[in-house]
Amino acid sequence: MKILKSEDLSTLKKLKKYIKKYYLIIILNMVLAMISSTVSVSPLVLVKRLVDQGILGSNEKDILYAAGGMICLAVIGAVLIYWNGILSVIISSSIYKNITDDLYIKIQSLDMEYFSRTKIGEVMIKVLNDPSNVNYLIIESFNLLSEVFRAVVCLVIAIYIDWKLTVGVLVIAPILLITVKKYSGKLKKSGRARQEATGILNSKLQETLSGIRVIKAFAMEKEEIRDFRKKSLELKKVALKSARYTSKSSAISEALNYIMVAMLLMFGGFRVLRGNHFTTGDFITIVGAISSMYTPVKRAITRYNEISMNIPSIGRIFEILDAVPEVEDAPDCVKFSEFKSDITFENADFKYKDSDEKVLKNINLVAKKGETVALVGNSGGGKSTLVNLIPRFFDVTSGKIMIDSIDVKNYKIKSLRKKIGIVPQETFLFGGTILENIKYANQNASVEEVIEAAKKANAHEFIEKLEQGYETEIGERGIKLSGGQKQRISIARAILENPQILILDEATSALDNESEQLVQDALEKLMKGKTTFVIAHRLSTIINSDKIVVIQQGEIRETGTHEELLDKDGIYKSLYNKSFKN
């Protein structure tokens, strides 16, 4: 009877690349498990001598030898079990570290297409919880091995004493195996459901923490609590279902064990009464051996059930590890070292992988070196998507984008992105100091260079007023700073990077007038001499652009300077009259 299904074996085989690094220590640990299991139950073989020759034979020396042997074996067994446990943890924790490292490295290599269709909370569960489950699975596998060896040694001792009696009382063993197989499959399914429900709950928590200000602003606490409770209730239901399967399996195993012991006592008792060379010592030894099988068998079943529940974690981990980025370096790609001429969009279309609707359609656009190109249009028209194609956060579905007459797909991605600076609407700062955040894109910059960048970004003055200056800890996501302060640090970071191409994605839209003026002045310093794409909603940001591109529903509808587009009396003029004129 196959205890593990072929799909489970296939899933477990995925761990081979991690396990093979530790083959020698794993083999050593398995041998140690066999020896420690054998030694820990070996005192049973001395029971016959203790009873028959010592107690019934009235020989004190045999009692002393038997008891002393048991004590020595117990001590040796304890030492071996200790080192068996230590080696198990060394192996499992090493594999855990390797898996989590690989997951983090893999996440860094995945493109924005992956993150656009995957919830962050689910990714966090796969990176944090699932490797822990695999770590637990490996430890339980070694423990299962030890329990099985103990049970086997006990069985061998019982068979050696009287194989007929042993076989007779083990006729119910197949029922036990059928029970284990039946409930292990159900536990595996409920384990997968538990992990999915945990991922959903984790996503909800992550979303709540990220949007706590919005929740409070709209007084939606009760609604969010209701939704969270609904999701946590689903997790509770899954947990209860798993508990029912585990309890049923344990209850049946417990009942079968007592039935087996009762049969042993009955048939063994008859054998002693009838003689047939079956001594009291034989009876006590075989009862002790089969009874001693109970604990390891029960533990083995429990551990097997736990392993079954955690097998799905391996598959979830490899959902990330086996993911293939859509955006990768071409085999013959070249390094992007210097922007010389222009950026050209040729008949570029774009749609997300999980959608049939095109976000951008037939985009044809040229941005020459040193030009400022402003993108305007209604929200959701595709402006941000267009600029995200330049650093290859996404790749065009059809058509192409060229920089200096070379398709961006033929540049090394990292070298391309190193030459592109981005100042987004929602500034992201890392937990740490102001100095660390400004130096993020240029780790080799000196303190003097950081200060100079901060001055150009109009950030130096407010930084100097802080108690710790540039060494001020700004909290997670820069929570201790205002929106304008965070934006100016973001600009200082971009200035220090000194990009050749600049993307400003509504960089001032969320600021008050005073902050906007400071940020706008900093942006103008940053833009000087650079090819810049500007997405803006205010006239002051775009009026002096070399080229204004009107995008609606993913298509370029108008292109020209501010004056040219006003003269056309078209879409831009309408947008200007509605939104920009103030």
Side-chain angles (χ1 to χ4, degrees):
M1 178 187 294
K2 276 189 177 180
I3 297 296
L4 284 175
K5 294 181 179 178
S6 58
E7 61 187 70
D8 294 336
L9 292 172
S10 177
T11 301
L12 288 168
K13 282 179 182 177
K14 291 184 176 182
L15 287 177
K16 184 178 179 181
K17 62 176 287 190
Y18 294 101
I19 292 173
K20 66 182 181 181
K21 298 178 182 178
Y22 306 100
Y23 272 162
L24 289 178
I25 190 172
I26 287 173
I27 292 170
L28 173 62
N29 200 35
M30 291 174 67
V31 171
L32 195 60
M34 293 174 65
I35 296 172
S36 64
S37 298
T38 303
V39 170
S40 65
V41 297
S42 291
L44 285 169
V45 300
L46 298 172
V47 170
K48 179 178 172 61
R49 180 175 181 179
L50 178 69
V51 174
D52 289 341
Q53 299 176 38
I55 298 174
L56 298 180
S58 302
N59 190 328
E60 294 181 356
K61 188 180 290 185
D62 281 309
I63 294 174
L64 184 62
Y65 285 159
M70 288 179 181
I71 293 170
C72 290
L73 288 170
V75 172
I76 294 170
V79 172
L80 292 174
I81 289 171
Y82 169 79
W83 283 109
N84 184 213
I86 293 296
L87 288 178
S88 296
V89 172
I90 289 172
I91 294 166
S92 63
S93 59
S94 298
I95 292 174
Y96 169 80
K97 180 186 181 301
N98 293 339
I99 289 175
T100 52
D101 287 351
D102 283 356
L103 281 170
Y104 190 80
I105 291 168
K106 184 68 178 186
I107 285 172
Q108 297 291 348
S109 73
L110 294 174
D111 51 36
M112 296 305 296
E113 180 72 44
Y114 177 86
F115 293 104
S116 69
R117 62 176 185 265
T118 307
K119 292 181 179 179
I120 298 301
E122 291 180 4
V123 176
M124 290 175 65
I125 286 290
K126 290 177 182 178
V127 174
L128 299 177
N129 286 27
D130 287 328
S132 294
N133 292 340
V134 171
N135 179 52
Y136 181 68
L137 181 151
I138 293 169
I139 291 176
E140 288 297 282
S141 296
F142 284 121
N143 290 335
L144 173 63
L145 194 63
S146 296
E147 303 296 357
V148 170
F149 280 138
R150 277 194 195 90
V152 169
V153 173
C154 290
L155 180 61
V156 168
I157 293 172
I159 290 174
Y160 175 77
I161 297 298
D162 192 313
W163 70 270
K164 291 180 181 179
L165 179 59
T166 303
V167 172
V169 298
L170 289 179
V171 291
I172 60 173
I175 302 174
L176 188 62
L177 290 176
I178 292 170
T179 302
V180 171
K181 185 175 181 182
K182 175 183 176 181
Y183 285 104
S184 68
K186 292 183 177 181
L187 283 166
K188 188 183 72 173
K189 290 179 181 178
S190 65
R192 186 183 297 113
R194 180 193 64 189
Q195 289 160 0
E196 289 173 357
T198 303
I200 291 171
L201 193 66
N202 191 71
S203 293
K204 179 63 183 178
L205 178 60
Q206 195 268 341
E207 183 181 64
T208 298
L209 295 175
S210 298
I212 192 68
R213 181 176 294 181
V214 176
I215 293 170
K216 290 187 176 296
F218 288 95
M220 292 292 288
E221 290 91 342
K222 286 186 178 180
E223 288 74 8
E224 292 297 327
I225 290 170
R226 189 183 303 118
D227 187 41
F228 186 85
R229 283 178 172 170
K230 182 180 178 181
K231 289 178 170 59
S232 65
L233 180 62
E234 289 300 315
L235 180 57
K236 177 184 176 182
K237 289 178 180 177
V238 172
L240 287 174
K241 184 179 287 188
S242 296
R244 281 199 295 270
Y245 293 147
T246 302
S247 297
K248 285 181 181 178
S249 177
S250 297
I252 294 172
S253 301
E254 190 86 13
L256 290 173
N257 172 72
Y258 283 115
I259 291 171
M260 187 168 61
V261 171
M263 291 172 64
L264 173 64
L265 292 172
M266 180 177 66
F267 293 125
F270 289 157
R271 291 287 301 277
V272 172
L273 292 175
R274 293 170 183 174
N276 297 326
H277 306 292
F278 191 77
T279 67
T280 303
D282 291 331
F283 176 62
I284 294 174
T285 301
I286 200 169
V287 168
I290 292 180
S291 298
S292 296
M293 284 175 60
Y294 169 67
T295 298
V297 168
K298 182 179 179 181
R299 287 176 181 167
I301 292 171
T302 301
R303 297 187 194 287
Y304 179 78
N305 288 337
E306 290 292 334
I307 290 169
S308 297
M309 289 179 65
N310 287 299
I311 284 177
S313 286
I314 300 172
R316 286 165 57 85
I317 286 169
F318 279 88
E319 285 175 7
I320 293 181
L321 293 178
D322 293 340
V324 179
E326 301 285 342
V327 180
E328 289 187 292
D329 282 331
D332 56 348
C333 61
V334 297
K335 183 178 180 180
F336 181 70
S337 55
E338 185 179 357
F339 178 44
K340 299 175 182 177
S341 178
D342 55 51
I343 300 171
T344 304
F345 288 74
E346 285 189 4
N347 305 318
D349 291 350
F350 175 77
K351 69 180 182 66
Y352 293 102
K353 297 295 179 184
D354 56 355
S355 173
D356 295 327
E357 184 179 351
K358 289 183 179 179
V359 180
L360 294 173
K361 309 164 193 173
N362 197 34
I363 300 296
N364 289 280
L365 177 65
V366 177
K368 295 180 180 179
K369 183 178 181 180
E371 279 190 341
T372 296
V373 178
L375 306 177
V376 299
N378 296 328
S379 179
K383 303 184 296 297
S384 293
T385 303
L386 187 148
V387 295
N388 283 335
L389 295 175
I390 300 171
R392 292 190 68 197
F393 290 150
F394 303 92
D395 273 341
V396 293
T397 306
S398 61
K400 57 185 175 180
I401 303 171
M402 296 186 294
I403 299 180
D404 296 339
S405 301
I406 297 176
D407 195 317
V408 291
K409 293 180 181 179
N410 293 324
Y411 285 119
K412 289 184 178 178
I413 296 173
K414 287 186 178 180
S415 68
L416 175 65
R417 291 176 182 169
K418 280 290 184 181
K419 301 297 180 181
I420 300 174
I422 301 174
V423 181
Q425 178 180 354
E426 294 184 11
T427 302
F428 186 93
L429 298 180
F430 294 89
T433 66
I434 291 175
L435 180 67
E436 290 168 343
N437 272 277
I438 296 177
K439 287 181 65 175
Y440 186 75
N442 186 355
Q443 298 290 317
N444 296 322
S446 65
V447 175
E448 290 74 20
E449 289 172 324
V450 170
I451 293 173
E452 184 60 29
K455 287 179 178 178
K456 290 179 180 177
N458 293 331
H460 179 71
E461 185 176 344
F462 89 79
I463 294 172
E464 284 289 281
K465 290 179 181 178
L466 298 173
E467 186 175 344
Q468 308 256 329
Y470 284 84
E471 295 297 332
T472 300
E473 293 279 344
I474 61 175
E476 186 178 3
R477 298 174 68 94
I479 195 170
K480 295 180 180 179
L481 303 177
S482 69
Q485 289 172 335
K486 287 193 288 187
Q487 198 68 293
R488 280 176 277 166
I489 288 176
S490 175
I491 294 169
R493 183 167 61 191
I495 290 172
L496 197 63
E497 184 186 13
N498 193 28
Q500 297 178 7
I501 300 167
L502 193 60
I503 295 173
L504 308 178
D505 191 351
E506 302 215 42
T508 64
S509 63
L511 305 178
D512 55 50
N513 289 333
E514 182 181 353
S515 295
E516 183 187 1
Q517 290 175 2
L518 290 168
V519 170
Q520 188 63 48
D521 179 64
L523 288 173
E524 288 173 4
K525 294 175 185 175
L526 175 61
M527 293 165 61
K528 192 173 182 180
K530 295 178 175 63
T531 305
T532 307
F533 288 83
V534 180
I535 299 174
H537 73 298
R538 296 188 183 180
L539 176 63
S540 57
T541 313
I542 64 169
I543 192 170
N544 295 321
S545 297
D546 298 294
K547 187 179 295 180
I548 299 172
V549 180
V550 180
I551 299 178
Q552 284 196 336
Q553 297 179 332
E555 296 181 281
I556 294 178
R557 299 296 177 84
E558 294 177 354
T559 304
T561 64
H562 175 66
E563 291 78 11
E564 289 171 347
L565 292 178
L566 287 180
D567 290 341
K568 281 186 178 181
D569 197 23
I571 298 172
Y572 177 76
K573 186 172 182 179
S574 176
L575 288 171
Y576 166 70
N577 289 333
K578 289 179 182 178
S579 306
F580 298 140
K581 199 172 182 180
N582 48 45

